[in-house]
Amino acid sequence: QVQLVESGGGLVQAGGSLRLSCAASGSILNINVMGWYRQAPGKQRELVATVTSAGIMDYTDSVKGRFTISRDNAKNTVDLQMNGLKPEDTAVYYCYAVQSFRWFWGQGTQVTVSS
């Protein structure tokens, strides 16, 4: 089992920045992919950003140029730097990890962007 713990959410004004962090523990060998999803009220969960163990990154179009994902394989952490935040970025952000086709999730952290 992989346990994921997120931190760094909060309330910020539009145009501001936040940094989310996620730490993995437990059976952490061979975690292939880590990243972030988000879910806004009344909407489906949406993939925000991913990074593979080889460092290949991908982003959903709406955050490209504003968000940056980074991963530290030695520390088993994945961070999401969010700049230029918009009210539509308001959501609960969930860290996830994929290990041998098994998915693991964090508990979620709230990000609220005021206009």
Side-chain angles (χ1 to χ4, degrees):
Q1 294 289 328
V2 175
Q3 290 82 47
L4 301 171
V5 178
E6 301 115 330
S7 60
L11 173 64
V12 66
Q13 289 187 334
S17 299
L18 284 174
R19 187 176 183 89
L20 305 183
S21 296
C22 174
S25 62
S27 179
I28 56 175
L29 293 178
N30 300 320
I31 294 178
N32 310 106
V33 179
M34 298 185 77
W36 297 87
Y37 272 75
R38 67 186 179 187
Q39 188 166 21
K43 295 188 177 181
Q44 291 187 330
R45 193 171 290 193
E46 171 191 34
L47 178 62
V48 177
T50 66
V51 58
T52 70
S53 55
I56 298 171
M57 297 171 283
D58 196 15
Y59 301 88
T60 192
D61 286 345
S62 62
V63 308
K64 286 180 180 177
R66 301 188 297 123
F67 291 11
T68 303
I69 191 168
S70 59
R71 177 173 175 174
D72 187 328
N73 289 328
K75 296 181 179 180
N76 298 300
T77 59
V78 60
D79 292 351
L80 186 68
Q81 177 66 42
M82 305 185 292
N83 299 328
L85 283 162
K86 304 175 181 180
E88 51 263 43
D89 294 317
T90 295
V92 177
Y93 284 69
Y94 297 90
C95 174
Y96 80 98
V98 181
Q99 180 191 58
S100 301
F101 304 105
R102 296 175 65 191
W103 287 64
F104 301 92
W105 296 91
Q107 79 283 359
T109 185
Q110 177 70 46
V111 171
T112 303
V113 184
S114 63
S115 57

